[in-house]
Amino acid sequence: MSGKCDYDHLRHIDNTLDSTDRLRDFIQIYSSANIKGLHYVHFDGKENVIQIYTPSHKLHYYSTCFLLKQKYTDTPINTVLRQGHQLRRFMDFLEFWNIDLLEVDTFTVVVSFVSYLRLLKSERATPNRAIQWSLLNQVPLHERAKNFGKVSTIRLNFEGIMVQDRFEDFSHNTICGFVETACKYLGFLKKETHDFADIDLSSIPVKQRAFTTTLTGTTGRKTKVIVTDVHAILREASFSNPNASGNLIQPLSEEVMTEEDVKKFISLIPSGDIQTILLFYILMSFGLRRAEARNLMFVSNNVPNDLYLWDINKAQDWLKTELHGDISYDNTIKAWVCDVVKREVTNFQSQNKTVRRRLIPNLFSQHDLTNVLLEHIKERQLVMKEAAQEHDYLFYSTSNNSKGEAITGGTIYSKYRSVISGSEKENFYLNFSPHSFRHFFATHLIRIKHKPIYDVSRWLGHKDEKTTRTIYLHYLPDQDDLPADDKLGDMATTFKNGGKV
């Protein structure tokens, strides 16, 4: 493999904001690198034995053990064979980038694996070509990838209309299958092997899936299992389903947390983990998307060097008058306000959908937000100094290998899972995700605070009011003009013409 193909280089490309530039950078690497063959699958039809071999014709022990486990847990042999061909692609990817699974962010790995799959030729190595496949000296990219930015393939669809051909050789659903198998394999390594027991999989998003068996169908109870949220990974890779209609907005069908559920979740966070408390308090208070929360910034060089020594009242006064940035205190309405803007960031996993600037007032406890924000600013000041880091992002990494850097990737997923792991409410909170705080924000403002749907739509950053009405159809009151139950009044007037922060 090419000497420069390592995890640091992968992460650098993976952090490219523009998805087109990111793919183009990957293409340049994959098309110019000299490789020493690819992994291949050997299938003995008589014995029903499936094995994965390295390019040097050595048995790949752990991936083969994974396939054997699938076989001996009554997975159909054809399914195991398909998983073998999916898994060998993941083995190629790991070897190409010289990835040590114990030393990397596994979320970054699986997200960049999606980009790799989008560029690959869908040709399959049949058994009689397996050895030839293992001797390839270039990554087999499809023609559209090789000519990316040069040639645009046009074809007639079934209605006779000229459309641009799909970029990928593999379909969206096929790539979902690849990623699901790769994540199952990572879980197998962590649970079933000693060498990889310390793999950190906490940043990979999961969800709880309910299914019915013969027994549960009789009792009326569904069995719930924890599975990887593959679609969340593909979304992070900026790869949406090309067959899905972008204009098809569906009503929210999932369960929504109550205020009690949110407070209980925050109470599960250790009292000393100020940053995590603030992070989820902000998600709750302003209904932000994860990327929008990651992108929050403030003027850090304005913070007094000895703020952590100040009297609490003096420090709070400074915070309300001198803290400048995306979160600041507005004395006109006596409330904290979040200013969400479209920001050019270097990490594509931190990009967000924000198009128009929006100003969101905190309609929850001003006192609680003041206290936790102040404690976070003081703690951040000390950590950044210790880590010799300088940037204006509000949230920073606490990992040893990236301490002080701006959080990226699956950090918020990881924090969410860390909070609920081992708690008595773990099974309940596995039905939710960090995005659920956004749904709580919207439904609470509509159902409890009786805020006009126009304001809620604007604060959420939806394209129009119709989108909000459609999504939260079941939570709308009979009238939108019910009296507000707090003193903030009509924020549309307060923030007229861009407002003031």
Side-chain angles (χ1 to χ4, degrees):
M1 302 297 177
S2 172
K4 63 180 179 179
C5 295
D6 55 26
Y7 173 70
D8 288 338
H9 193 201
L10 171 69
R11 186 172 60 174
H12 175 73
I13 298 176
D14 197 53
N15 283 344
T16 305
L17 174 61
D18 187 90
S19 58
T20 301
D21 290 342
R22 191 180 335 121
L23 285 174
R24 186 175 286 113
D25 287 345
F26 276 129
I27 289 171
Q28 185 177 0
I29 294 294
Y30 293 135
S31 61
S32 61
N34 292 321
I35 63 174
K36 297 179 180 178
L38 296 169
H39 292 73
Y40 60 94
V41 174
H42 173 69
F43 175 46
D44 186 337
K46 293 182 180 180
E47 301 293 334
N48 271 354
V49 174
I50 302 172
Q51 301 166 314
I52 295 182
Y53 283 86
T54 68
S56 58
H57 314 298
K58 295 180 180 179
L59 179 71
H60 194 283
Y61 179 73
Y62 284 129
S63 62
T64 299
C65 287
F66 169 79
L67 297 176
L68 284 172
K69 181 181 179 182
Q70 306 309 303
K71 176 185 174 183
Y72 289 114
T73 53
D74 297 326
T75 301
I77 193 65
N78 287 338
T79 300
V80 178
L81 181 59
R82 184 178 70 250
Q83 290 177 336
H85 283 285
Q86 292 172 334
L87 192 53
R88 72 173 176 83
R89 300 281 194 179
F90 190 51
M91 298 298 102
D92 291 338
F93 174 76
L94 295 179
E95 182 167 332
F96 185 92
W97 291 101
N98 298 308
I99 289 175
D100 180 350
L101 290 171
L102 296 173
E103 301 292 335
V104 298
D105 174 11
T106 49
F107 184 73
T108 297
V109 170
V110 293
V111 168
S112 51
F113 179 51
V114 174
S115 297
Y116 176 76
L117 292 171
R118 294 185 66 188
L119 305 174
L120 285 188
K121 198 172 186 177
S122 62
E123 182 181 356
R124 181 166 167 170
T126 55
N128 63 340
R129 290 191 59 246
I131 302 301
Q132 291 178 328
W133 190 259
S134 72
L135 298 176
L136 288 179
N137 55 20
Q138 282 193 322
V139 178
L141 304 183
H142 56 67
E143 290 301 316
R144 285 177 292 282
K146 292 178 181 177
N147 295 287
F148 190 40
K150 302 175 185 177
V151 178
S152 178
T153 308
I154 303 295
R155 63 178 176 83
L156 296 177
N157 65 11
F158 67 95
E159 296 176 336
I161 300 174
M162 295 185 70
V163 296
Q164 187 171 4
D165 200 2
R166 184 169 55 82
F167 178 79
E168 298 78 19
D169 259 20
F170 294 114
S171 70
H172 185 273
N173 287 339
T174 300
I175 291 180
C176 281
F178 276 97
V179 175
E180 183 175 11
T181 296
C183 290
K184 282 183 178 179
Y185 175 65
L186 293 175
F188 166 82
L189 291 179
K190 183 173 182 64
K191 293 179 182 179
E192 307 291 341
T193 74
H194 175 74
D195 292 343
F196 293 96
D198 293 330
I199 288 181
D200 183 7
L201 303 182
S202 62
S203 63
I204 295 181
V206 296
K207 61 182 179 181
Q208 192 163 254
R209 176 183 294 168
F211 66 94
T212 303
T213 64
T214 303
L215 178 61
T216 58
T218 304
T219 61
R221 296 180 179 179
K222 292 185 177 181
T223 300
K224 294 184 177 181
V225 295
I226 308 304
V227 298
T228 301
D229 191 344
V230 174
H231 290 285
I233 294 173
L234 267 62
R235 285 195 299 270
E236 288 291 335
S238 301
F239 182 37
S240 58
N241 189 346
N243 297 319
S245 172
N247 298 320
L248 187 59
I249 306 297
Q250 297 290 343
L252 180 65
S253 58
E254 65 186 73
E255 186 179 359
V256 176
M257 284 192 284
T258 65
E259 187 172 13
E260 181 180 352
D261 296 331
V262 171
K263 289 181 177 178
K264 176 62 177 176
F265 172 86
I266 292 178
S267 73
L268 293 175
I269 305 173
S271 58
D273 191 354
I274 300 299
Q275 175 167 231
T276 301
I277 295 174
L278 177 64
L279 177 59
F280 286 100
Y281 205 94
I282 283 176
L283 291 179
M284 174 198 77
S285 301
F286 300 113
L288 302 186
R289 302 177 179 96
R290 288 184 302 115
E292 293 168 344
R294 288 197 296 259
N295 289 340
L296 290 175
M297 301 181 75
F298 74 110
V299 182
S300 60
N301 61 14
N302 192 37
V303 180
N305 293 330
D306 58 347
L307 180 66
Y308 63 95
L309 298 175
W310 286 17
D311 170 77
I312 183 66
N313 293 321
K314 179 183 177 182
Q316 288 184 354
D317 288 342
W318 175 88
L319 195 72
K320 290 182 177 181
T321 57
E322 300 299 331
L323 183 68
H324 302 296
D326 296 337
I327 292 183
S328 59
Y329 191 80
D330 191 301
N331 274 297
T332 304
I333 59 173
K334 303 299 181 184
W336 287 98
V337 176
C338 184
D339 186 359
V340 185
V341 297
K342 181 71 173 179
R343 176 165 286 123
E344 294 299 325
V345 292
T346 57
N347 185 284
F348 90 90
Q349 293 169 5
S350 298
Q351 61 186 319
N352 57 56
K353 298 179 181 179
T354 303
V355 176
R356 292 174 295 179
R357 177 188 181 190
R358 66 188 200 269
L359 294 154
I360 312 168
N362 173 34
L363 301 176
F364 298 87
S365 170
Q366 309 301 332
H367 176 74
D368 289 349
L369 182 54
T370 299
N371 286 340
V372 71
L373 181 59
L374 177 59
E375 290 304 309
H376 173 74
I377 294 296
K378 293 193 293 186
E379 183 178 89
R380 181 189 183 281
Q381 187 180 30
L382 297 174
V383 172
M384 296 294 284
K385 182 177 181 180
E386 177 187 350
Q389 291 282 345
E390 290 186 12
H391 61 74
D392 285 339
Y393 286 99
L394 183 62
F395 296 111
Y396 57 89
S397 172
T398 56
S399 300
N400 290 332
N401 60 349
S402 59
K403 194 168 186 178
E405 296 179 9
I407 61 173
T408 60
T411 302
I412 298 180
Y413 271 117
S414 178
K415 286 181 178 294
Y416 182 83
R417 289 180 61 186
S418 177
V419 169
I420 67 175
S421 179
S423 72
E424 61 180 15
K425 300 278 287 183
E426 180 175 2
N427 288 335
F428 172 76
Y429 285 113
L430 279 170
N431 294 308
F432 304 100
S433 71
H435 196 75
S436 300
F437 289 81
R438 178 172 167 83
H439 292 319
F440 162 76
F441 170 84
T443 56
H444 188 80
L445 263 57
I446 293 170
R447 184 173 52 186
I448 307 300
K449 295 288 188 179
H450 305 306
K451 290 300 176 185
I453 192 69
Y454 168 77
D455 285 347
V456 177
S457 180
R458 196 160 44 81
W459 294 333
L460 289 171
H462 285 164
K463 181 179 179 181
D464 50 43
E465 185 180 322
K466 181 180 178 182
T467 299
T468 313
R469 285 186 178 277
T470 303
I471 295 175
Y472 299 105
L473 179 67
H474 307 305
Y475 301 94
L476 293 174
D478 293 334
Q479 304 176 51
D480 285 338
D481 56 355
L482 292 174
D485 61 354
D486 60 23
K487 63 182 180 181
L488 294 183
D490 184 3
M491 307 309 298
T493 302
T494 304
F495 292 128
K496 188 178 181 181
N497 298 323
K500 178 183 179 182
V501 180

